[in-house]
């Protein structure tokens, strides 16, 4: 007997992908910050680690969300140009992340290890969700 599993199709397109990425990554960051606070301990720097993790993760979420928002917006207006606009948004996101790392001085309280873990966790979570939702998305670019 072959058992079929039903996969949910993303019928909202880029907007559904944006919603899933924002929801999933934000939940993962809240969970990771809570774990950091509990593992390190409230009195021995757990709050600082949790805040650092959350700050770096939030920066990744904001920039990644802006890129996907630009993609979703362009899909509704210039469908044929969406791939180029998405690529442009990705390049701008990477440049902005680099500028933030080089130009903006980190706050004195920032735990660099926790911030790095937060950024990495946000990037990996965002990308995994984006790929999984994209695989369940049906988008028609050209009229048949």
């Amino acid at each position: 007997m072959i058992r079929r599993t039903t996969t949910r199709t993303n019928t909202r397109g880029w907007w559904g992908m944006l919603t899933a990425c924002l929801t999933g990554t934000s939940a993962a960051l809240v969970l990771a910050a809570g774990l950091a606070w509990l593992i390190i301990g409230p009195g021995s720097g757990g709050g600082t680690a949790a805040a650092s993790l959350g700050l770096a993760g939030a920066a990744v979420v904001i920039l990644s969300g802006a890129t996907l928002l630009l993609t979703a917006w362009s899909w509704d207006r210039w469908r044929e140009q969406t791939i180029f606009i998405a690529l442009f948004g990705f390049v701008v996101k990477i440049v902005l992340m680099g500028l933030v790392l080089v130009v903006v001085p980190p706050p004195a309280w920032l735990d660099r290890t926790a911030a790095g873990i937060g950024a990495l966790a946000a990037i990996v979570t965002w990308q995994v969700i984006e790929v999984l939702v994209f695989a369940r998305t049906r988008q028609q670019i050209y009229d048949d």
Side-chain angles (χ1 to χ4, degrees):
M1 178 168 126
I2 297 175
R3 183 176 169 185
R4 291 187 180 164
T5 59
T6 57
T7 58
R8 248 177 78 194
T9 301
N10 174 23
T11 58
R12 293 184 53 221
W14 296 104
W15 297 107
M17 194 179 314
L18 178 62
T19 303
C21 289
L22 285 173
T23 304
T25 306
S26 298
L29 285 173
V30 168
L31 179 66
L35 285 173
W37 184 73
L38 287 173
I39 291 171
I40 296 173
S44 58
T48 301
S52 300
L53 192 145
L55 178 66
V60 170
V61 168
I62 289 168
L63 290 171
S64 296
T67 302
L68 199 49
L69 179 67
L70 177 67
T71 304
W73 179 78
S74 67
W75 181 262
D76 292 342
R77 284 156 184 78
W78 305 291
R79 191 166 288 195
E80 298 80 22
Q81 301 300 320
T82 298
I83 298 300
F84 299 110
I85 292 171
L87 182 60
F88 172 77
F90 179 78
V91 170
V92 168
K93 173 178 69 174
I94 298 301
V95 168
L96 284 176
M97 281 185 185
L99 281 174
V100 166
L101 288 173
V102 172
V103 175
V104 177
W109 57 265
L110 188 77
D111 180 339
R112 292 173 189 255
T113 303
I117 291 170
L120 181 63
I123 290 168
V124 169
T125 304
W126 186 282
Q127 290 303 310
V128 166
I129 293 171
E130 195 170 38
V131 167
L132 292 174
V133 175
F134 184 79
R136 297 187 315 244
T137 302
R138 303 292 178 248
Q139 299 284 0
Q140 182 174 355
I141 297 175
Y142 303 105
D143 292 330
D144 289 335

